[in-house]
Amino acid sequence: MMTQKQPSLVSENQLDVSFGGCSSAGVREHNQDAFAAHKPTRVAQLNHKGASACIADGVSCSQHGQQASQTCVTQFIEDYYATPDTWGVKQAVSRVLSSLNRWLYHHSQQSQLRHNGFVSTFSAVVFKSATAHFLHVGDSRIYRYRQGKLLQITKDHCRQGLGDKGFLTRALGIDSQVEVDYQTHELQRDDIYLLSTDGVHDWLSNTQLGELLSQQTDLEQCANDIVAQAAMAGSNDNLSCLLVKVNTLPYADISELNQQLLHRVIPPVLEQGQSIDQWRVEKILYSGSRSHIYAVKSPRYQQTYLMKVPSLSYQDDLDYRKAFIREQWIGERTSSPLLMRIYPQESRFLYHLCQFVPGITLRQWMFDHPKPTLTEVRNVFSAMAAAVRALQRIGVTHRDLKPENMMLTPSGEIVLLDYGAADAQGLADSESPADAIPLGDLGYIAPEYIDGRADHQSDIFSMGVILYEMLSGERPFKKRSVTYQSSRQAYDWQYQPLSRHRQDVPFWVDQVIKRACHPDNRERYTSMSELVADLSTPNQAVLTETENAPLLVRDPVRFWQGVSGILLVIVILQLLIAFS
């Protein structure tokens, strides 16, 4: 068990926000409004999840309005911070609100009266890095007060009915599916965000709200003043407002993680028996132009670990350091046994301390099985797919899937290694865009990654290439160049039929592989599970395509044998005619 304290990977210039709020039943007997706010005390969680504030207004005609609004704000805060750090804000909040809406709708259906359901408006802001993420459904509102100007950010989802009272067109719990407005704005220091229910903003104009905010010296007192002013204006509803002020912002040009690593030193190449910090090199496993990998042990622990150290030639390469810390960030957040862990370390040196995974690489397995049976390949590929899906579930695209980065354990599982080229949606919210030059092996990466784009379908492409290589020992596309500068022209993206190498593999299997590594991602599989299913049992579309394919494609050997036979007959006939 590792007991080292996780280092603080942040700069002194950190995101900081403060809150102040007030809620009153007003003239009503019950208060069906609710709000909540949270700023993590742990720096790591503040970096990866940010601070959040939300407000909800339960439908007043329902007996369950108060429970609905309270559930919305408390469960949103709790569930959002429980999502993986690797998920981006949009992905995380979408999952949370969809789940919350389904819960409210299900309980609404249990009520015998249609108007007595669990229905609530909902508005929230997530403050992450230098960005505000806004979520909104219903007629509660979010405003921004900046440099003396008040801006209403959200739009009400309601329609005017008979008389003065409108009715909601969208809210949580109304239907089994909900459309939530989502937008992002860049934060500025001293911004103030106001979240309010209609009992406040229906009775105070933007001018009045702006004047109250301009006079604020204390957020809590200002929130109380806003509620009091709305009540004095004649509000006949519950009154709630929540204020959030941006006090400081992190550096926007470079992530805190990269700032931390700028001061770490790449150690020299180590020999067996040498030590760095508490770790003694037991064996040199790999030494290349980009990195060195050692098996290491410490007197404090029984087990063996891997140490990955950058090459000294990358001491001043900022892009390489960014990729290295991205790998650390992702590796620390893997919890599946199919994904190699990277453990946090406090050191003045730059290196990764990684989980030691017993077994052989998939490349070694391919050397040992130059012509495997289809059953053997299916079994190994299913294990590969399970590992890649475990990575996808935490919102990470590997972007460098190849046989060298897959370890086949004695139990038959595949464990993914090396996240140096990986990309997580959670990093996209706080870091600059990923490297323009692809970091993966050009022989396995998808064409769109070469052009600077990659997602889970890009990993499916790589899996298709590996599958082809496992069966044939070759790759499905011919190489034209070995440099990235030629972009898509580095390869001829014309698929080479598997039958050129393996006559014993059914043609429909070839069609499955062809779709898996199709150069156009619109023609490619969209999910790993669908690929695994089709590889085991072909679906009807694959069988139909197989039956309709010309003989030259389905069985080129039989085709050319037929052509040769016809030509031989023609030659014989010509000879007979010539000598007759």
Side-chain angles (χ1 to χ4, degrees):
M1 178 70 68
M2 300 298 296
T3 58
Q4 287 92 337
K5 181 182 177 183
Q6 183 172 348
S8 176
L9 300 180
V10 295
S11 67
E12 295 179 357
N13 199 0
Q14 183 60 267
L15 171 69
D16 181 56
V17 297
S18 52
F19 309 103
C22 179
S23 185
S24 170
V27 298
R28 298 287 179 90
E29 182 179 358
H30 301 289
N31 188 356
Q32 295 184 317
D33 291 350
F35 65 75
H38 180 66
K39 183 178 71 173
T41 55
R42 292 193 300 113
V43 171
Q45 190 176 44
L46 181 62
N47 282 345
H48 303 314
K49 288 297 180 186
S52 58
C54 55
I55 196 166
D57 180 2
V59 172
S60 58
C61 64
S62 171
Q63 295 176 3
H64 304 298
Q66 186 176 33
Q67 185 179 353
S69 63
Q70 288 286 347
T71 300
C72 285
V73 298
T74 56
Q75 285 302 122
F76 175 80
I77 295 288
E78 181 178 337
D79 293 350
Y80 170 68
Y81 287 98
T83 58
D85 289 348
T86 48
W87 285 8
V89 172
K90 186 175 183 179
Q91 179 184 9
V93 298
S94 296
R95 296 281 187 92
V96 169
L97 290 180
S98 292
S99 176
L100 185 57
N101 180 72
R102 286 194 298 271
W103 186 93
L104 294 171
Y105 179 72
H106 170 75
H107 283 76
S108 293
Q109 298 308 297
Q110 310 308 309
S111 175
Q112 295 180 351
L113 300 176
R114 182 173 179 84
H115 67 274
N116 201 26
F118 289 73
V119 177
S120 177
T121 70
F122 184 82
S123 298
V125 190
V126 175
F127 303 87
K128 182 177 178 182
S129 187
T131 303
H133 302 256
F134 302 101
L135 324 161
H136 170 68
V137 58
D139 63 357
S140 48
R141 290 180 184 174
I142 303 175
Y143 297 85
R144 184 190 70 201
Y145 183 75
R146 174 183 290 174
Q147 298 177 355
K149 296 181 179 180
L150 186 70
L151 172 69
Q152 181 181 331
I153 293 173
T154 57
K155 294 183 179 180
D156 297 344
H157 300 141
C158 62
R159 186 173 298 164
Q160 195 64 34
L162 296 175
D164 296 330
K165 190 64 178 175
F167 62 92
L168 291 172
T169 57
R170 272 196 264 167
L172 293 179
I174 286 182
D175 203 348
S176 59
Q177 302 291 327
V178 63
E179 181 182 354
V180 178
D181 289 349
Y182 172 84
Q183 57 179 307
T184 60
H185 288 188
E186 183 179 350
L187 292 171
Q188 289 188 17
R189 187 173 179 176
D190 295 328
D191 279 350
I192 297 177
Y193 290 87
L194 164 65
L195 291 76
S196 62
T197 59
D198 56 357
V200 169
H201 56 247
D202 279 357
W203 298 89
L204 295 178
S205 67
N206 285 10
T207 301
Q208 290 172 302
L209 288 172
E211 288 177 354
L212 289 167
L213 290 170
S214 68
Q215 299 168 11
Q216 69 84 25
T217 55
D218 177 85
L219 292 181
E220 195 76 22
Q221 184 58 52
C222 184
N224 279 276
D225 292 344
I226 290 173
V227 167
Q229 286 289 332
M232 291 176 59
S235 177
N236 58 3
D237 202 347
N238 302 145
L239 310 95
S240 299
C241 78
L242 175 61
L243 299 177
V244 188
K245 184 176 181 180
V246 179
N247 300 317
T248 60
L249 289 172
Y251 293 115
D253 56 341
I254 189 168
S255 74
E256 293 82 4
L257 301 182
N258 290 327
Q259 283 288 335
Q260 175 73 16
L261 285 190
L262 286 175
H263 305 291
R264 294 196 181 185
V265 178
I266 296 179
V269 178
L270 300 175
E271 300 293 338
Q272 186 171 339
Q274 291 184 323
S275 297
I276 181 172
D277 295 335
Q278 60 177 301
W279 304 102
R280 182 179 186 274
V281 176
E282 300 291 315
K283 187 177 182 181
I284 300 172
L285 300 178
Y286 172 80
S287 185
S289 60
R290 291 180 61 85
S291 62
H292 309 279
I293 300 177
Y294 311 102
V296 298
K297 276 190 173 182
S298 167
R300 298 174 57 186
Y301 310 103
Q302 296 297 321
Q303 63 265 49
T304 300
Y305 294 89
L306 294 182
M307 178 182 287
K308 181 178 180 180
V309 181
S311 171
L312 280 170
S313 60
Y314 291 97
Q315 179 67 49
D316 300 318
D317 191 327
L318 182 59
D319 288 336
Y320 182 91
R321 286 175 174 268
K322 287 181 179 180
F324 203 79
I325 189 55
R326 183 166 60 238
E327 181 176 20
Q328 174 84 33
W329 190 89
I330 292 171
E332 288 181 10
R333 285 154 183 80
T334 59
S335 57
S336 169
L338 306 180
L339 306 174
M340 183 189 72
R341 291 292 308 276
I342 299 179
Y343 304 100
Q345 287 291 300
E346 286 186 342
S347 176
R348 68 187 185 90
F349 294 108
L350 182 63
Y351 62 84
H352 293 331
L353 185 68
C354 311
Q355 170 192 359
F356 179 82
V357 181
I360 60 172
T361 64
L362 181 61
R363 176 67 70 195
Q364 183 62 51
W365 184 90
M366 291 166 63
F367 285 147
D368 297 341
H369 299 77
K371 195 174 181 180
T373 66
L374 183 57
T375 299
E376 288 175 321
V377 170
R378 279 185 180 132
N379 291 337
V380 175
F381 188 80
S382 294
M384 292 162 51
V388 174
R389 290 170 69 183
L391 196 65
Q392 290 177 348
R393 280 193 293 271
I394 62 172
V396 175
T397 304
H398 193 281
R399 304 197 302 181
D400 192 20
L401 293 175
K402 58 185 179 181
E404 289 79 5
N405 287 340
M406 298 182 177
M407 187 68 73
L408 181 63
T409 69
S411 62
E413 293 179 325
I414 288 286
V415 178
L416 290 185
L417 315 175
D418 195 343
Y419 313 119
D423 188 41
Q425 180 59 41
L427 286 174
D429 295 327
S430 56
E431 279 200 324
S432 56
D435 308 85
I437 298 178
L439 299 174
D441 189 316
L442 188 60
Y444 297 92
I445 61 178
E448 66 267 18
Y449 183 25
I450 297 176
D451 290 344
R453 299 174 291 108
D455 57 18
H456 74 281
Q457 278 190 287
S458 305
D459 280 351
I460 291 176
F461 177 94
S462 301
M463 291 285 282
V465 174
I466 296 171
L467 179 57
Y468 185 101
E469 187 175 13
M470 290 170 68
L471 285 166
S472 68
E474 304 289 339
R475 295 178 194 168
F477 304 104
K478 291 182 179 180
K479 184 182 291 187
R480 287 177 173 172
S481 169
V482 294
T483 64
Y484 284 118
Q485 279 68 28
S486 53
S487 187
R488 284 180 177 265
Q489 281 65 48
Y491 273 83
D492 177 2
W493 299 109
Q494 184 67 38
Y495 182 83
Q496 307 297 309
L498 185 62
S499 55
R500 295 185 180 183
H501 312 287
R502 291 284 298 267
Q503 292 296 313
D504 58 326
V505 176
F507 177 71
W508 64 264
V509 172
D510 196 12
Q511 294 300 100
V512 170
I513 300 174
K514 181 180 180 181
R515 181 182 172 192
C517 57
H518 200 291
D520 187 345
N521 60 358
R522 294 171 296 183
E523 301 294 330
R524 200 179 303 157
Y525 283 102
T526 57
S527 70
M528 193 69 68
S529 58
E530 185 183 6
L531 168 57
V532 173
D534 280 3
L535 187 63
S536 301
T537 305
N539 62 39
Q540 190 57 47
V542 173
L543 292 176
T544 301
E545 187 176 357
T546 300
E547 294 170 357
N548 296 334
L551 181 62
L552 176 60
V553 176
R554 284 186 286 110
D555 195 337
V557 173
R558 283 180 55 196
F559 174 82
W560 290 114
Q561 286 175 342
V563 171
S564 300
I566 293 172
L567 291 176
L568 179 60
V569 170
I570 293 174
V571 170
I572 292 174
L573 290 175
Q574 288 179 335
L575 289 174
L576 291 175
I577 293 173
F579 289 102
S580 61

